[in-house]
Amino acid sequence: MKIESITLREIRMRLTSPFETSFGTVQNRRIVLVEVVTDGMSGWGEVTAGETPGYNAETTDTAWHVLSDFVVPSLVGKSISTASEVPALLSHIRGHEMAKSGVENALWDAEAQLRGLPLYKLLGGTIEEIACGVSLGIRENPEALVNRVEEELRSGYQRIKLKIKPGKDYEFVAAVRKEFPQIQLSVDANSAYTLDDAIHLKSLDEFDLLMMEQPLSWDDIHAHSKLQSQIKTAICLDECIYNTRHALTAIELKSCRIINIKLGRVSGHTEARLMQNACREHSVPVWCGGMLESGIGRAHNIAMSTLPGFSLPGDVSASQRYWSEDIIEPAVEVTAKGAIRVPSAPGIGYAVKREFVEKLTVRRKVFSTARAAS
Ligand code: OSB
Ligand code: MG
């Protein structure tokens, strides 16, 4: 595959409602999309960096910079035989996993189309209906949260995840658990606590949670090992795990019993596939996390979720939970039983609504072999 051109676009999209986590609230998204053209075939990827460096170090603007000045120039004009060669071509660039992931995944989409295969098959996926959960932002009070949970359960979602932070945790979880004693329930702290909170976090053991996601510092695998030994609830790591080595370290240190895989955080499909395989060999379940993606990132998440290690419901939910109009068609829909049927069309399996993307675009940069960057 000869990489003929790469186009970066920043689009603006507004979430149907604000999403609050322990590190901030977001409603207006600034999303970088990557379109590659290889052997005449166009493929799409999404950079899942946030607007601020609150979740990890990357932002929309750092991604634009690193893509424009380093990642894209390392790839345009190159010939590769498969998208899984991309990490080696980018190994001289440290970090910036989300920026890299946008391009690598676009090449995976193009490669699947060139081979006439749905992306999930090219990746080696085996699951044809993926199980869906939802991630609920922090609410004003427990009653509002309980009402929201009820709506999501009515839509069929199989697992509910509650965002928590100090002062908005125990009572909120207690209220939801009291109302819904049987559901699969988990919490996500996005690094809002320290080891000094161990006794408080242990108090959540009584709610029979499926997992507690990333309670401690975003870069401290060791501290999670100290916490895991003190609580019954399974810890799931998110922010701490950028690559398979990190996952193996966390497993060896007993820092967690579950791992969340996000394509952007781990730099793309190649590393995600290695990581789920390593976790499976150690009997550690994984699931697909979300980053409030547009339809393009969502479609890639669906393809990844078909790999055999993905044995828990992911944060992959319907387009309409986020957007009044998505940039792909058909929109992602969830069945009454809380599942997404994996599309069978070549590539990501959804069509990109080009005209709509154009309308949302606020900046664009084209890199091609035919002419200089414009
Ligand atoms: O920690 O999983 C997270 C959103 C933004 C940043 C981090 C996280 C999240 C979510 C939302 O939980 C998942 C989604 O519905 O896309
Ligand atoms: Mg998380």
Side-chain angles (χ1 to χ4, degrees), residues 121-132:
K121 285 248 166 92
L122 179 63
L123 292 168
T126 49
I127 302 167
E128 287 182 349
E129 245 188 45
I130 64 163
C132 305

Side-chain angles (χ1 to χ4, degrees), residues 19 21 23 55 135 161 163 188 190 213 238-239 260 262 290-293 298 315 317 321-322:
F19 189 78
T21 63
F23 60 82
Y55 165 79
S135 172
K161 161 171 138 184
K163 291 288 189 181
D188 185 357
N190 291 108
E213 196 177 328
D238 174 351
E239 280 89 330
N260 149 335
K262 290 180 179 167
M291 289 297 294
L292 309 172
E293 288 93 343
R298 201 165 296 283
D315 282 344
S317 40
R321 288 193 67 249
Y322 305 82

